[in-house]
Every structure is written in C-alpha cells, then in structure tokens.
Amino acid sequence: MPAMTAVDADTRAGAGLPAEAVGPLVRGVGVLRRLAEAGGTLSPSALERATGLARSTVDRITATLARMGYVRLDGRDVVLTPGVLELGNAYLAALRLPALLGARADALADELDESVSLAVADRDGVRFIHQATRRRALSVSFRIGDLLPAERTAPGALFATEWTERDWARWRTRRSEDPRDTAFPAVPPRPEPAPGTAHATADAVDAAFADRVRAARRDGWALDDQLIEPGLVAVSAPVRDPRTGRVACVASVVSHTSRHPAADLPATLLPRLRTAVAAMEADLRTAPPPEPGPAPAGLATWTTASKQELGRDFVESLARGLTVLTAFGEGRPALSLTDVARATGLSRATARRALLTHEHLGLVAPAAHEDRAFTLTPRVLDLGFPPLSRTTLPRLAEPHLRALADRVREPAALAVLTADGTEVQYTAGAATSGVLTVRIPVGARLPAAATSLGRVLLADADGPLSPELTEVRAQGYALADEELESGLRSVAVPVRDRTGRAVAAVNVATHAARRTLDDCVRHLLPALRATADDIQRDLRQVSRFTQVPTT
C-alpha cells in the first residue's frame, strides 16, 4: 500500500480540515482513491483497513457510491464501475487538450509504431491525459490518470523549467518525506539505499534532476533514459499555450532499449515529435471557442429523492459534494460559486462548502484568469480513472451479461464480427446452471449468417442489404431459429459506440422446447435491450477519452 498522503491523513483524522469542510465528502474521496490505487476492487474489510474508517462508515459510503453508479457490490467486493469516470471526464472535457490534440498523438504513434502520450503538470508530478499505445507483446505506456514523480520522467524536467522557488521547495519536501516514491503507485518504488548512504543517494538524485532541468531549458526537449525502470526510454517536447507561451502539456514518444537506445532518440524520434508538436500548437492557436455542453440537471432533486428512499444508508452530503465536480465540463472550465449552484440545483451554502472541501483535497483550485472562479485540477483523475482507462468491451459487458443471465435464466453472450464479415467471434458470456444449456466458449467462431449475433451486425453494414437483413435493421433485433443447431433458438441486439456504429452484439440463447419465437420477442427481448443499453452507457463513458478494444 502506498505511503499515507496528506489527503489520507485528513481522511483518517480530520487533521487540518477547514471548519466548513464536509467530512463525509472527505471520507468518500478517500474511499475512491483507495479503490483506484488497489486496481478498482477491494473488500469492505480491506477498505476499512486502508482508510482507517469504521466498517459502518465504509458500508454507508459504498452504498451511496453504488446508488450514484460509481461502484457495484460484487459478492464480497466493492468494484469501481465506469460511471465514476464522469468525474475524470469532466476534468478532461474542461481541459480540452485531449480532444484538440489526441488525434495528432494517435497519428504520430501510428507513424512511428511507438506509444505516444500527453501529460500535464500536477504540482510536482506528471499526470497523463492521453495515451496512444501499441498492442504488442512488450508494450510501454501508462494509463490515463497515472501520476508519476517529476524527477523520474522526461516531461517532469520540462515542466520544472517553469517552477517557482515555492514549487522547488514543495518538491524537496516531498522528496525528503518519501524518498522511495511509495506515494506513486504507478511507478516501481526506488530501492532501499545501502546503510550509511541514504543522504548521499538523495543528494545525487536531486542534483541529477536539476541538471536535466537545466538541459531541458537549454535544448527545449528532454530525455528519459531508464529513469522509471530498466529498459524504458522516452523523448519529450513541450506543447505551449499560444496565449501565455507556457507549457500546456508535454508530448512524449515512449519505447524500450531493444528498439531504440536512449542515445539515438534525439536523432531517430525527436525530429518527427517536434513536427507533431508544431502541428499541435497550430491546432491550439486556431481552435474555435468551445460550445458549452449541457450542464447536469436535477442533481439536487435526485439526491433528495435517494435520501428519502434509502434513509441513513445514503450519505446525501457525499453525493451532493461529488456532483459539484460534474458541473464543470466542455465550455465550462471555470465556474463561480453561483455557476456551480445553478448547474447542480444546490444552495449556494451547500455548493460553497463542497468547493472548499474539494479545494482542500486538491481537486479544485482558484481559476488563474478569473476572479472568484474555480477550475478542476488533474487530481480529479485520481478518483477511479487509471484502472478503468485500460478496460475492454468484454470486461465492460461481463457484469451486465451475468445480471441478464440471472434474470432470464438463460445464457447470454457478447460477440463481434470478424474482419472479413463472414463469422462472429464470441468475446464474453454468462452461463446458467441448467442441465440442458448453451455453452459456446469465449473465442469460438460461428458463421455470421446463421446466428442472431451475426445477422444483427451484418444489418449494420454499409451498402445494399438482403430483404432479411433490411428487416433486421428496421426492427433492431435478429432471431435465429434452429439454423445453427437443432433446438437452438436465440435473439440478439446490437451494442453501439459513441458514433452510433454497431461494434458488437449481445444475445440470449435458449432451447426451442422452452420458449417459442413469440416468447423470445415478448419476454427476452426487453431484458436484452435493457442490457445492451447498460453496456452502451458504460462504453460511451469509458470511450469518451480512451480507446476501448472490442476484444
């Protein structure tokens, strides 16, 4: 478990909290942080140990987070769900950099066949906001939301070229209190120093970082020569804000020494990186002002209704405090107290206390260029983003498929169309315990035209369709009646991404003796459509700023 941070100390003891801070909100944020650091899953007893909270408090917090759609209670575990990404998505949308520059990073990754990342400064650390990764056996990249110590990265040296003396002092304090970087779970901790050498080793690390910062200021780029772990190398260049000239973010090309020795990166990768950075800066100069997206509505009413329904198991002050973060977003990067109260429906007093609490926790900060306004900070990404930013469509679908199979007492499956469009490949499934049941393993391929899954996907294809597929497209579902195997009957619906394209399909299969075709349409189809809606909601939340593989 990482070393206890200032936020954790406040969570445990209430130390240093402003008088108007919302205690349940502090504790709820602590639970989300601990879940994220643990990879997204912890038992209530493990949460109790990790946070120092009483078990009854943990239970009330997790019940509230479950009501908000941020966690689910899976057996004995508390599991982060894609719903929690609305908090990090609010920060990324308000920031705009991933939306404006992500396509350039992706194109550079394709051109170089290397991973490319975008990162922003988070105090004396580096936080990733975009990742374009390579799908190969030995890949090198971090997750969106991961926080790294500045001195162990190439971007950190570039950000540090703009540090004030106060920033350097804060960095030195953190280094002295946590010399092994145990508060940064995304990186391996530094090894224990040999007896009698601790001070000298720390001094050497600090001097080396200062040297790299001076080189970055002189050269305009920075190198990571296995600073994080052996074999990992990167070259980075700053992307500057056209209004201020300051570093808005840093673009990096990441590789390993078997592909590119560190000494070769300035000649092999840096020139193309600089070309991409110049294009990114041009994009920032010419980007039109953002159109404000719709603000959340009815949040205060929803929390009140939830409190009336669940009673003491729903911590209304925690729910209201977290909804304040969702008031920010695209076209709403800086909001006043009045703006937040209006967007959420909360009273000014409630919104003020929530903002003060978030400011204490480092989740919001005073806006740089607007008086009496607040902005979200990169630290919002701590609240569940990293473990969910690397998920796949099958993993998103699995809990929903299990719930569907339990509800209808029939097996359910997720499948995608193969590249040639002739087969479907099963990628996830949920079985039932009956003696006579359908068991098609994950990875199996079946003829697309003979399955309900395949037909509903073929019906979404471009170009002319057969009369049968035209009907499937019009009705939004497909039936297969004993065509693949005698007695096997199934119904399927599409799963659509943010653009409306069918990227997968879900089905329920049964035996013909158990359900007629009319039963499939009247009783199975509504539950199947509801499940597809749930999967689509999660997919659209996760894929807003990340790539979600369909297999």
Side-chain angles (χ1 to χ4, degrees), residues 442-454:
V442 169
R445 294 188 175 197
L446 296 175
T451 64
S452 60
L453 290 161

Side-chain angles (χ1 to χ4, degrees), residues 230-285:
L232 180 63
V233 295
V235 62
S236 301
V239 180
R240 297 191 177 274
D241 187 326
R243 298 169 302 168
T244 65
R246 294 178 61 83
V247 179
C249 67
V250 170
S252 303
V253 181
V254 188
S255 188
H256 57 84
T257 52
S258 297
R259 290 175 61 83
H260 293 279
D264 293 349
L265 295 183
T268 56
L269 300 182
L270 180 59
R272 186 61 192 90
L273 172 61
R274 280 180 151 168
T275 300
V277 163
M280 291 179 183
E281 291 177 340
D283 289 341
L284 293 182
R285 284 194 299 271

Side-chain angles (χ1 to χ4, degrees), residues 52-112:
L53 299 173
R55 176 60 182 268
S56 60
T57 301
V58 169
D59 289 344
R60 293 182 65 214
I61 288 173
T62 54
T64 303
L65 296 174
R67 177 71 169 192
M68 299 182 75
Y70 290 174
V71 305
R72 71 172 186 274
L73 307 180
D74 191 351
R76 297 183 177 181
D77 289 330
V78 180
V79 182
L80 288 173
T81 66
V84 75
L85 294 187
E86 74 171 352
L87 303 176
N89 283 344
Y91 163 73
L92 294 173
L95 183 67
R96 292 191 79 199
L97 293 178
L100 293 175
L101 309 181
R104 297 282 187 188
D106 296 344
L108 181 62
D110 290 339
E111 178 182 343
L112 299 178

Side-chain angles (χ1 to χ4, degrees), residues 503-523:
V503 294
V506 289
N507 84 339
V508 172
T510 186
H511 189 272
R514 284 205 297 269
R515 296 183 187 268
T516 66
L517 289 175
D518 185 59
D519 286 337
C520 290
V521 173
R522 287 200 302 154
H523 300 301

